[in-house]
Amino acid sequence: MLNTKAEDIEQLLQLAKRSSDFTSSTIAFTKPPLTIHYYKTLIDEHLLQEQLLRAIESNAAGTEIEHLNDLKQLITIEGIQIIDQIAEIQTRLFQGYAIIQKDAKDALCALIPLISKAGLRKSNDTDNEFSVVGPKVGFVEDLDINLHLLRSQFTIPNLIVKTLTVGSLSSSRVAIVYIDGIASKDNVAIIEQRISDIDFEVVFDTSQLDQIISDNTLSPFPLFISTERRDRVIYSLISGQVAVMSDGSPYFITGPSTLYDFFISPEDYYLPWILGSFFRIIRIFGVVFSLFASALYTAITTFHYEVIPQDLLQPLIFSRQNVPFSPVLEVLFLEITIEFLREAGARLPTKIGQTLGIVGGIIVGQAAVEAALASNILIIIVSLSALASFATPIYKMSNTIRFLRFPVIIMSSFWGGIGLIFGICFILIHITRLTSLGSPYTVPLYPLRPMDLRDSFIRSSYQYTNKRLSYLKPETILRYMPKPRKKKSDWEQE
């Protein structure tokens, strides 16, 4: 019979063995054979081979190890601990220690510090998802280092990593990460099944997996959050989502995701909730403006001059009096020019790209007005529209907004305001039919989930966000128990 402490350690090891990066092996050249357990993404394998296993083999081969304390004389590694406290063992295991057991029925374990990855690039700057407030730790192109970055934030064995091999030619490793007891088993099973069914030659990046395993591969809307930020992935995991990453990619994808997730920035949670909510509303308004501003200008100037205020009508007519093109050609000319500048700036080196974007925009805009190719009012609208599209924290959603502007503009040029309404209705119908891992894309607004609205359009106070979102179907709803604030009289009594 195992004693209580030994049962706790055995339960910890059994839970840890569900992760693909956890290893248990037997050191057979000792008497009795020792068992070693460790996370290979957290330890330095060079230390394991050179200073632990070889030291034991050369000093203890064929000899009897009566007590784990004997390892301190056999191994030249400092900081070895012999303990039986489950809390300490669990903490050290996630700090890069290896556990050595002499007998599974015995609670006593030797903890060997093999802290990992010295000299390797541990993290990347989050250039594409920059925030002024909060950590700047991002992922790199090495899957083991990325898992190491995640595990350094979690000191629980419930963080499960399942590794699959994808690609008939590349044999790329793909990791599915989730928290057992929080994430829905159905979501985990769906992702695991879809990745297992992939028949592809080479997987270069996680973005390819995003397209292959999406519920609807024909939609321009991204159905998974793609992020290089560690804090965003950690928040997704503790919320009940599932994360996926492939080797060679610095990006995780997380799901199921909703439309509103693409307007959430990690910075929202590092600011007071009022400011975080304000900036989130600004982003949503910016995306709506970016999507429909140019189309609205086209519809009004083509069909609906009567809706323009009298004071604004004369400046608008004056700005267009020398323009030889119809409003739709004028709008398309400027929109395509903006896209040229955007693409050129993205492909050039950073400093040159910034210069091109600023100087090119000013020169082209001024030249277009002087050459009577576009009105100055339209240049202001298109410029604001381009700026507003960058308010989206997720780059993939920004690309979607850029694309959708063009069909909406064309519909407005044919049918005016009716065409604009048709475009809006088409987008609304499309997104309400989308799902991410079977979860509606527009939840919590449709289907309505009133309790989940507290972290969608706005970010409520932490006092009211202690429950996980219901549409994720988490196994554990409660995140934490908010404590009531103490009054001054209570402090004085204490």
Side-chain angles (χ1 to χ4, degrees):
M1 291 291 293
L2 297 176
N3 59 43
T4 303
K5 291 184 177 180
E7 288 177 351
D8 292 339
I9 294 173
E10 181 64 21
Q11 184 177 1
L12 169 65
L13 296 176
Q14 289 300 323
L15 185 57
K17 287 176 182 177
R18 296 177 58 184
S19 293
S20 302
D21 60 335
F22 186 80
T23 300
S24 295
S25 58
T26 301
I27 306 176
F29 41 76
T30 60
K31 293 183 180 179
L34 301 177
T35 305
I36 183 170
H37 315 276
Y38 57 90
Y39 282 99
K40 59 185 178 183
T41 54
L42 294 178
I43 70 161
D44 189 333
E45 294 182 344
H46 177 75
L47 284 177
L48 175 68
Q49 295 293 333
E50 296 295 330
Q51 297 191 31
L52 179 59
L53 297 181
R54 287 193 180 182
I56 294 177
E57 183 179 10
S58 60
N59 297 325
T63 61
E64 183 78 21
I65 296 180
E66 297 181 357
H67 195 275
L68 289 176
N69 280 311
D70 297 339
L71 294 175
K72 293 182 177 181
Q73 282 73 42
L74 300 176
I75 304 171
T76 58
I77 300 176
E78 295 184 359
I80 299 176
Q81 303 177 30
I82 311 297
I83 60 176
D84 62 354
Q85 302 299 318
I86 181 62
E88 182 71 13
I89 292 173
Q90 177 174 315
T91 300
R92 296 300 182 187
L93 180 63
F94 290 96
Q95 291 178 348
Y97 281 62
I99 297 175
I100 292 183
Q101 284 183 304
K102 181 181 176 183
D103 188 349
K105 298 180 181 180
D106 188 2
L108 205 61
C109 297
L111 298 179
I112 314 294
L114 299 172
I115 300 173
S116 125
K117 312 296 182 187
L120 294 181
R121 187 166 59 127
K122 295 274 182 86
S123 63
N124 196 11
D125 294 332
T126 55
D127 294 331
N128 295 327
E129 295 180 75
F130 181 79
S131 64
V132 179
V133 182
K136 308 296 189 293
V137 179
F139 295 110
V140 297
E141 291 82 5
D142 188 285
L143 182 60
D144 291 333
I145 293 180
N146 293 333
L147 294 177
H148 172 83
L149 290 172
L150 281 183
R151 288 207 179 275
S152 63
Q153 289 287 309
F154 288 98
T155 58
I156 56 172
N158 301 66
L159 183 67
I160 305 299
V161 178
K162 292 185 177 181
T163 304
L164 304 175
T165 301
V166 178
S168 58
L169 297 181
S170 62
S171 297
S172 303
R173 290 186 301 153
V174 175
I176 303 173
V177 187
Y178 63 96
I179 299 180
D180 184 59
I182 296 179
S184 168
K185 289 184 171 59
D186 292 338
N187 292 335
V188 176
I190 291 172
I191 285 188
E192 187 173 356
Q193 183 63 45
R194 291 182 181 179
I195 294 177
S196 300
D197 292 342
I198 292 176
D199 185 10
F200 212 68
E201 291 179 332
V202 179
V203 176
F204 293 101
D205 191 81
T206 310
S207 300
Q208 291 179 292
L209 296 176
D210 183 349
Q211 301 175 56
I212 296 171
I213 68 175
S214 292
D215 294 35
N216 187 340
T217 58
L218 301 178
S219 174
F221 285 89
L223 301 181
F224 289 95
I225 294 289
S226 179
T227 179
E228 62 179 348
R229 294 182 62 106
R230 181 176 67 172
D231 54 348
R232 184 185 282 273
V233 174
I234 290 174
Y235 185 79
S236 298
L237 291 173
I238 63 176
S239 297
Q241 293 176 303
V242 183
V244 178
M245 179 175 232
S246 65
D247 204 1
S249 172
Y251 286 90
F252 267 89
I253 59 173
T254 62
S257 301
T258 68
L259 180 65
Y260 311 103
D261 291 336
F262 293 89
F263 304 108
I264 295 176
S265 171
E267 195 170 5
D268 296 345
Y269 299 96
Y270 305 135
L271 297 172
W273 73 270
I274 296 178
L275 296 180
S277 300
F278 172 74
F279 293 132
R280 188 176 297 182
I281 293 172
I282 288 293
R283 288 186 212 108
I284 296 174
F285 173 77
V287 168
V288 174
F289 180 86
S290 175
L291 185 56
F292 300 115
S294 298
L296 185 61
Y297 172 88
T298 303
I300 290 176
T301 54
T302 305
F303 295 96
H304 309 292
Y305 270 106
E306 66 277 3
V307 303
I308 302 175
Q310 189 69 29
D311 295 338
L312 184 60
L313 184 60
Q314 184 175 355
L316 180 60
I317 294 174
F318 179 77
S319 68
R320 294 206 71 253
Q321 65 181 355
N322 296 322
V323 177
F325 305 119
S326 63
V328 63
L329 292 179
E330 181 188 11
V331 169
L332 289 177
F333 169 73
L334 282 183
E335 289 285 358
I336 293 174
T337 302
I338 290 292
E339 294 302 321
F340 284 159
L341 291 172
R342 219 183 256 187
E343 283 299 305
R347 304 291 173 255
L348 289 172
T350 304
K351 296 185 181 300
I352 300 177
Q354 292 176 349
T355 304
L356 174 69
I358 297 172
V359 177
I362 295 174
I363 293 176
V364 172
Q366 184 66 28
V369 173
E370 293 181 355
L373 297 178
S375 65
N376 48 15
I377 293 179
L378 178 60
I379 288 179
I380 295 173
I381 293 174
V382 172
S383 300
L384 291 176
S385 179
L387 287 175
S389 67
F390 289 114
T392 311
I394 304 298
Y395 181 69
K396 286 187 176 182
M397 181 57 74
S398 175
N399 289 339
T400 300
I401 300 303
R402 289 167 57 186
F403 165 75
L404 289 177
R405 285 211 302 265
F406 289 95
V408 176
I409 289 171
I410 293 173
M411 294 178 72
S412 298
S413 68
F414 282 117
W415 300 295
I418 299 298
L420 178 60
I421 293 173
F422 280 164
I424 295 173
C425 291
F426 178 81
I427 294 173
L428 291 177
I429 291 171
H430 177 69
I431 61 177
T432 54
R433 290 171 61 88
L434 288 177
T435 58
S436 176
L437 296 182
S439 177
Y441 196 56
T442 53
V443 70
L445 192 61
Y446 177 81
L448 184 61
R449 300 285 188 272
M451 297 302 294
D452 292 344
L453 288 172
R454 63 184 65 182
D455 195 12
S456 55
F457 294 103
I458 63 171
R459 194 223 101 188
S460 300
S461 170
Y462 284 122
Q463 188 77 7
Y464 304 104
T465 58
N466 61 315
K467 292 184 179 179
R468 295 182 174 88
L469 302 176
S470 61
Y471 72 87
L472 294 174
K473 302 175 183 177
E475 296 187 358
T476 305
I477 293 292
L478 193 64
R479 293 176 54 197
Y480 53 86
M481 184 62 69
K483 295 181 179 179
R485 293 183 178 180
K486 292 184 178 181
K487 299 179 181 179
K488 184 177 179 180
S489 57
D490 298 333
W491 289 103
E492 292 175 349
Q493 291 178 3
E494 292 181 0

